[in-house]
Amino acid sequence: MSTTPHPLVTRARRLAAEVLAPQAARVDQEGVPASSIEAVKRSGLLGVSAPVEYGGSAAPAAVARETAEILAGACCSTWFVQTQHHTPVQMLAKAQLTLRERLLGPLAGGELLSGVAYAQLRAHPRLPVRVTRERGGWRFDGTVPWYTGWGLNDVMLLAGVTERDEALFAFTEAREQPGLRPSPPMRLAALTASRTVSLDLDGLWLPDDAVALRTPYETWAVTDRPKNTNASPAVFGVTASALDLLESFDGDPVTKETARALRGRLDEVRQQAYELADHPVPTERVDERLAVKTRSYDLLRAATTAAVVAGGGRSIDLGSPAQRLAREGMFLLVQGQTAEVRTAHLGSLGSLG
């Protein structure tokens, strides 16, 4: 965590305290409102990692992580909608000039919010979304199983695999259109508020100038695989909020001691995780990264469970922050999960004595 708050960290704390946290219980039940997204857009946080010349802040990775912790701890659903935005911004910074000039400024400045539809690439060699050359552009067919922020996002970054086994990423408007049809919003045990749908693609056509990246699948996969071996800042944000709640319960010294002990472990695991995330070679120390990631999950479960236990019967009420945090924690256990992460996590759980 930074010692002198970066301006974006200050803005994130203000947004969390004034907008996100006060509405978190209602958002959990009713959905992320457009007003919350507008507040995120105005905050400047959507450009945290974007180039300065396009209106972003080009902030250090530590600042991006801290703002993510703050938002996730305040309202995990809103965090999840806006976190989709940062991958498209980073990809656009390296994309063809025409596309970069058209989209990067509006995305970095918060005029537009982007979603992502590319997790299905990790199913390779299965091809949930196929891309073929057609009429001087690209045709998309298949199914995107998960798309978050439907009705809130302005654009989306969509990906599929070509006949030449290339990963192809392109931008399109995040709306129903010829060749693109959304499912009804999914009812989920956690983060239903994030407006997640699946997308049916049946001949969606996008022009060449919508393409942000076209590269051999294995070239893309080599850079993608290490990303999810690192612990997510959202895990630490939800853990910290659960410990704040635990500390708020009156009277019981055991509750206070439990919170204190878990807080010490949180500081330790977070430091280890971020030191590994900052390692200059992301493909190195993978086993260590996975071990720390699973320890972060252990801590998340302990903190959210402690909040539920301390709250007693009140925790079962749908308006209880303890059970909301516990459900958010459950979601984070599988968010962005790869086969490698799942294997490491299950192995860790199987070794519990």
Side-chain angles (χ1 to χ4, degrees):
M1 306 288 281
S2 57
T3 52
T4 302
H6 187 281
L8 286 181
V9 171
T10 301
R11 291 184 206 172
R13 289 174 178 164
R14 184 181 305 119
L15 176 67
E18 296 178 0
V19 178
L20 303 188
Q23 300 184 76
R26 180 170 60 83
V27 166
D28 178 59
Q29 297 302 309
E30 299 177 9
V32 175
S35 59
S36 291
I37 297 303
E38 289 303 316
V40 173
K41 287 180 172 181
R42 292 192 302 269
S43 71
L45 293 170
L46 294 180
V48 60
S49 301
V52 173
E53 59 267 32
Y54 286 91
S57 297
V63 172
R65 290 192 295 253
E66 188 167 0
T67 58
E69 282 191 33
I70 293 166
L71 298 188
C75 178
C76 198
S77 294
T78 304
W79 163 79
F80 190 52
V81 171
Q82 67 81 44
T83 199
Q84 318 293 317
H85 179 90
H86 301 291
T87 295
V89 167
Q90 291 163 6
M91 187 172 288
L92 273 172
K94 302 175 183 177
Q96 54 166 301
L97 182 62
T98 301
L99 184 63
R100 185 168 73 241
E101 292 299 313
R102 185 168 79 241
L103 284 179
L104 187 50
L107 290 175
E111 179 184 342
L112 299 177
L113 178 72
S114 182
V116 295
Y118 73 86
Q120 67 275 0
L121 290 182
R122 296 174 182 141
H124 193 275
R126 289 193 300 108
L127 303 179
V129 176
R130 301 169 305 284
V131 186
T132 52
R133 190 73 175 157
E134 183 177 282
R135 293 183 288 121
W138 300 93
R139 173 185 172 125
F140 289 76
D141 292 279
T143 301
V144 174
W146 304 94
Y147 180 82
T148 293
W150 187 259
L152 296 171
N153 297 322
D154 303 294
V155 297
M156 73 168 75
L157 179 63
L158 172 64
V161 178
T162 72
E163 294 167 309
R164 298 175 61 181
D165 207 35
E166 301 162 310
L168 187 145
F169 292 75
F171 280 91
T172 187
E173 294 182 38
R175 61 174 178 82
E176 186 168 356
Q177 54 186 292
L180 189 160
R181 186 176 68 252
S183 72
M186 296 181 185
R187 289 183 55 80
L188 307 173
L191 273 71
T192 285
S194 64
R195 303 198 193 184
T196 296
V197 299
S198 63
L199 301 176
D200 178 51
L201 304 173
D202 184 13
L204 173 69
W205 183 87
L206 298 178
D208 280 333
D209 63 6
V211 175
L213 177 67
R214 180 184 169 197
T215 188
Y217 177 82
E218 267 308 313
T219 300
W220 173 80
V222 164
T223 61
D224 178 70
R225 287 179 187 130
K227 292 177 182 177
N228 287 327
T229 61
N230 290 312
S232 167
V235 169
F236 300 126
V238 172
T239 300
S241 288
L243 295 180
D244 290 342
L245 180 62
L246 192 60
E247 290 168 344
S248 73
F249 290 112
D250 295 329
D252 187 352
V254 175
T255 301
K256 303 293 184 184
E257 176 56 27
T258 300
R260 186 199 64 76
L262 291 175
R263 184 81 68 181
R265 288 170 56 193
L266 171 61
D267 293 341
E268 177 185 351
V269 174
R270 180 200 281 119
Q271 180 178 348
Q272 293 172 346
Y274 290 167
E275 285 176 354
L276 287 167
D278 288 334
H279 188 277
V281 184
T283 55
E284 292 182 355
R285 302 173 70 179
V286 169
D287 288 344
E288 190 176 352
R289 295 173 194 269
L290 289 169
V292 172
K293 187 181 182 87
T294 58
R295 284 202 294 274
S296 77
Y297 287 154
D298 292 342
L299 184 56
L300 171 68
R301 289 196 309 274
T304 55
T305 300
V308 169
V309 171
R314 293 171 296 172
S315 298
I316 305 304
D317 187 280
L318 279 177
S320 161
Q323 60 81 29
R324 173 175 56 80
L325 290 166
R327 287 187 289 105
E328 291 172 351
M330 178 182 67
F331 167 82
L332 292 173
L333 296 181
V334 297
Q335 186 254 328
Q337 184 188 68
T338 62
E340 187 176 28
V341 171
R342 180 170 57 249
T343 297
H345 194 185
L346 288 172
S348 174
L349 292 170
S351 67
L352 293 176

